[in-house]
Amino acid sequence: MDRLTRYLYTVASIVTLLALWYAGGVTLPEVVPGLPETYTALVVVLTTPGPYDHMFYFHVWKTIQMLFASLIVSMIAGTLLGVALGRSETLESTLATWVYAWLAIPSLVIVFVSAIWIGFDASSGYFAIPLVITPFVGLNMWEGARNLDDDLAEMAEFFGAGRVQTFTDIIIPQLAPFLFASFRSALSIGWKITLLVEAFLLTRGVGFMFRRYFDQYDLPTMMSWLIIFVVFLIVVEYGVLAPLHERVMEWRPDAEGVRVTE
Amino acid sequence: MTAAEEATVASENGDESGETLELRNIVKTFQKPGQGQILVLDEVDLDVEAGAFISLLGPSGCGKTTLMNVVSGLIEPDGGTMRRGGRDVSPDDLSLGYIFQEPRLLNWKTVAGNIEFALEARDVPEAEWDERIERYLEMVNLADEGDNYPTRLSGGMKQRVAIARALATEPEIMLMDEPFSSLDEITARDLRQELLDIWNREEKTILFVTHDINEAVFLSDYIYMMNTDGEMFARRDIDIDRPRQYDDPDIAQREAELYKEFHEQVVD
């Protein structure tokens, strides 16, 4: 499919969604916030200060701050964990069960326990969110580390490549697709947990706003906040991740137009 | 005068690199899960004469690659000696290039980048890189592909890049592990011919592993024959004038003789 056709399909899907939304708002007004009402609410959110006199970007910024700080911590910790598991059979047999157990703990429980341990402030979030995301990153990187090509490692050893050269030229490029996949899943899981933390524990951020308008049963405003953050995540995907992915994966024969999958 | 004789002459001015590399009584066992100790190399001797084209010939799984990896230093033998010019040497003392069965290229680097990888690993001064890349890519007829990615090349072209990568480190001995076995026969024949041209012109020593008797006879000055018990049971010279032709009846006849010897080994 050429670029124009792809673009047209995207536009068509957005138009269809808006039409369905509008129809839903007219036929089921108690359940679906109306499209015009949501638009009005969105304009209000974007132009007037909300609770505590903060504009929308204050809350969005706070959420982003917590989300991305957690992502950085989780990417580092998860990569170390995954590579350790993938490269050492001893560690794998010792830790594998616990990684799966860790994955099985509901995020809600982690958030609640953090609040009890640490308190109802942002520190709980900075503790709980990386704790939830790290095993997902670890699982991905584990798979990546298990698939490292021993033949290439042998080639590098034969030519006498040092540790640094082996790491940057042999290991990292093989892990790159897994790093991207990890980051994408960490981002999508992480932002949901961030909202949970903000909704339950904090008085700022996008999650707090959801909670506040949920209490007021104000569906159109909740919808506006959802739109703001979803738009932000789409911008991150198409504006940063996809171009970066395409650049890093330039060598692949089908690199033209790396498809966004998640 | 054969290449081996020429090298002997060269060694008379005290240059140790012209001497024969002698492996004696090389023993290697591997631990295989469920099968216990497997003897892969049973007191094997090998002479790598400078400037010669030597093949290690044997059925799959007979330890040919293991023996070559003892020379390369990738495998530590359990016993035996490696000497040259009357002195013990280790693989680190040798100037070696390796061409694997698969090209083993870094797909995320360009063709030139792949060669740079080896040059950097070998601590070749950066000032020499461009010149060497150009020279050796031209030698394997890939002068225009330096900026291309390996994923866009055919199997034969990838193996040429691997050959250029090995040549670019300017080794004295080239180790080649069934480098053409996964190529189609037409491409393989072209590459064998080019390899012989390079070997001749650059005065390299080549140690070549293969299970293809015809390939071994066509390429080699002499052939070591191995069986599946890890024994080196014969060394056979190939006294056929170069340049050789594929359809030369002498080659066919020598091939038949060697096959017979192999067959008798298996029956015994």
Side-chain angles (χ1 to χ4, degrees), chain A residues 15-86:
Chain A
V15 171
T16 311
L17 181 70
L18 289 175
L20 281 173
W21 183 0
Y22 183 80
V26 171
T27 48
L28 300 164
E30 320 79 46
V31 188
V32 183
L35 186 55
E37 290 87 342
T38 304
Y39 175 75
T40 317
L42 182 60
V43 172
V44 172
V45 168
L46 290 178
T47 52
T48 52
Y52 308 114
D53 234 18
H54 290 310
M55 287 294 289
F56 82 96
Y57 44 78
F58 169 82
H59 296 287
V60 171
W61 170 243
K62 283 293 175 189
T63 302
I64 290 171
Q65 214 176 21
M66 183 172 277
L67 172 56
F68 279 80
S70 305
L71 283 177
I72 292 169
V73 174
S74 305
M75 285 302 290
I76 295 170
T79 303
L80 291 177
L81 173 71
V83 171
L85 285 170

Side-chain angles (χ1 to χ4, degrees), chain A residues 1 6-7 11 15 20 41 84 92 100 115 118 120 129 148 154 179 184 188 195 206 232 241 250 259 261:
Chain A
M1 237 190 281
R6 279 220 298 271
Y7 180 70
V11 170
V15 171
L20 281 173
E92 190 168 29
Y100 289 118
I118 296 168
F120 282 72
I129 302 164
L148 285 176
E154 193 181 61
L179 283 168
R184 286 200 171 106
S188 65
L195 287 205
V206 179
F232 170 74
L241 288 180
E250 189 185 22
R259 309 312 305 274
T261 48

Side-chain angles (χ1 to χ4, degrees), chain B residues 52-80:
Chain B
F53 200 121
I54 306 129
S55 286
L56 300 177
L57 180 62
S60 299
C62 73
K64 321 181 282 285
T65 301
T66 307
L67 179 58
M68 192 149 84
N69 280 337
V70 167
V71 178
S72 76
L74 289 170
I75 289 177
E76 183 84 20
D78 298 328

Side-chain angles (χ1 to χ4, degrees), chain A residues 149-176:
Chain A
D149 189 337
D150 291 333
D151 284 351
L152 287 182
E154 193 181 61
M155 184 278 291
E157 187 195 337
F158 172 78
F159 282 105
R163 272 173 174 273
V164 175
Q165 199 193 0
T166 304
F167 190 72
T168 54
D169 290 348
I170 307 272
I171 310 280
I172 287 289
Q174 291 184 78
L175 291 180

Side-chain angles (χ1 to χ4, degrees), chain A residues 151-152 154-161 165 169-170 173-174 250-253 256, chain B residues 74 96-98 100 102 104-109 117 120-122 149 151-152 165:
Chain A
D151 284 351
L152 287 182
E154 193 181 61
M155 184 278 291
E157 187 195 337
F158 172 78
F159 282 105
Q165 199 193 0
D169 290 348
I170 307 272
Q174 291 184 78
E250 189 185 22
W251 53 270
R252 288 206 302 211
E256 286 92 62
Chain B
L74 289 170
L96 301 170
Y98 206 133
F100 301 90
E102 325 76 28
R104 298 200 190 178
L105 301 176
L106 308 177
N107 286 333
W108 42 91
K109 284 184 176 286
F117 175 85
E120 188 184 335
R122 281 285 164 88
Y149 284 95
T151 44
R152 300 196 170 90
R165 177 178 63 190

Side-chain angles (χ1 to χ4, degrees), chain B residues 130-146:
Chain B
D130 287 347
E131 191 199 319
R132 288 208 194 184
I133 290 167
E134 196 183 335
R135 175 171 147 78
Y136 291 104
L137 280 181
E138 199 162 318
M139 198 174 284
V140 297
N141 295 320
L142 288 178
D144 297 331
E145 302 291 345

Side-chain angles (χ1 to χ4, degrees), chain A residues 41 44-60 62 198 202-216 218 221-222 225 228:
Chain A
V44 172
V45 168
L46 290 178
T47 52
T48 52
Y52 308 114
D53 234 18
H54 290 310
M55 287 294 289
F56 82 96
Y57 44 78
F58 169 82
H59 296 287
V60 171
K62 283 293 175 189
E198 288 173 340
L202 305 179
T203 53
R204 87 290 189 283
V206 179
F208 166 65
M209 300 311 278
F210 274 115
R211 162 79 177 280
R212 186 179 180 88
Y213 292 104
F214 167 73
D215 289 345
Q216 298 171 8
D218 183 350
T221 310
M222 286 171 71
W225 279 100
I228 291 172

